Amino acid sequence: MEKVAMLIIVLMTGLISQASGQDYKKIKKLVDKAYYQQAWKLVKQELVASPDDHLLNFYAGLSKLELYQQDEALEYLLKSDKRANDKYHFYLAKAYFENDKITEAKQTAALVNRDQLTEKEIFLSDELFISYETLRQSPEHVVVKNLGNEINS
């Protein structure tokens, strides 16, 4: 009886893993097509069963980052690691930057393998830090005034 129960457990574990593999493929496909909201919905369901899964946390972080939910993106990306994706450090640096954690962003950006990035991603990465340094060195003081209903509506 114990052997039968053990066999059932092993088979069920295999089926669950196989289902997760299919879901990874669906999630990756959605992310690759920039369907971040749909990817997030699927990742969210999978995270219930596997909250520590580094790959699910990576896709959750990437989806949240692209959905402009930077604080959540950083939380998920920090639960992941470089095994999840070749561009992990790029997205983590971007999440740090968008959460105003510039020191961490710079440290993480130093770990990015630029050979893995597209030209657009390299430009974006460089531009973020150049813009930040330019503004930091010569800040512009802006005064915002209420100019009335005609202008502010």
Side-chain angles (χ1 to χ4, degrees):
M1 186 67 174
E2 277 184 43
K3 289 182 180 180
V4 172
M6 198 62 142
L7 181 60
I8 291 172
I9 291 172
V10 169
L11 289 173
M12 291 301 289
T13 303
L15 289 174
I16 291 169
S17 297
Q18 191 175 19
S20 294
Q22 290 298 319
D23 287 335
Y24 287 142
K25 289 178 184 176
K26 286 181 192 174
I27 293 165
K28 183 178 183 334
K29 196 176 215 178
L30 290 169
V31 167
D32 289 347
K33 291 183 176 184
Y35 297 148
Y36 300 111
Q37 188 64 45
Q38 294 92 326
W40 164 244
K41 287 178 183 178
L42 189 53
V43 170
K44 185 176 163 184
Q45 293 171 355
E46 291 297 315
L47 280 170
V48 172
S50 305
D52 297 324
D53 185 301
H54 72 277
L55 195 53
L56 289 174
N57 278 294
F58 171 76
Y59 284 124
L62 178 54
S63 296
K64 288 294 186 175
L65 190 62
E66 298 299 333
L67 293 169
Y68 304 103
Q69 298 169 0
Q70 293 85 352
D71 53 338
E72 290 179 65
L74 184 57
E75 287 178 37
Y76 286 113
L77 287 169
L78 288 171
K79 292 179 186 176
S80 185
D81 59 44
K82 65 182 180 181
R83 294 176 296 159
N85 190 284
D86 290 337
K87 298 179 183 182
Y88 168 74
H89 288 109
F90 169 76
Y91 293 114
L92 182 59
K94 186 176 175 191
Y96 274 132
F97 189 87
E98 291 184 10
N99 278 282
D100 296 323
K101 297 181 182 251
I102 305 306
T103 302
E104 293 91 336
K106 285 182 177 181
Q107 291 169 346
T108 305
L111 301 173
V112 172
N113 180 352
R114 292 171 70 92
D115 294 336
Q116 300 290 334
L117 302 180
T118 65
E119 285 184 32
K120 182 179 177 182
E121 290 167 334
I122 291 171
F123 175 77
L124 174 64
S125 180
D126 293 345
E127 195 61 32
L128 285 175
F129 289 109
I130 291 168
S131 298
Y132 170 76
E133 289 300 326
T134 301
L135 288 172
R136 191 175 68 79
Q137 290 173 4
S138 53
E140 294 288 328
H141 298 285
V142 178
V143 177
V144 179
K145 293 181 180 181
N146 185 339
L147 301 175
N149 290 335
E150 297 295 320
I151 302 296
N152 293 336
S153 57

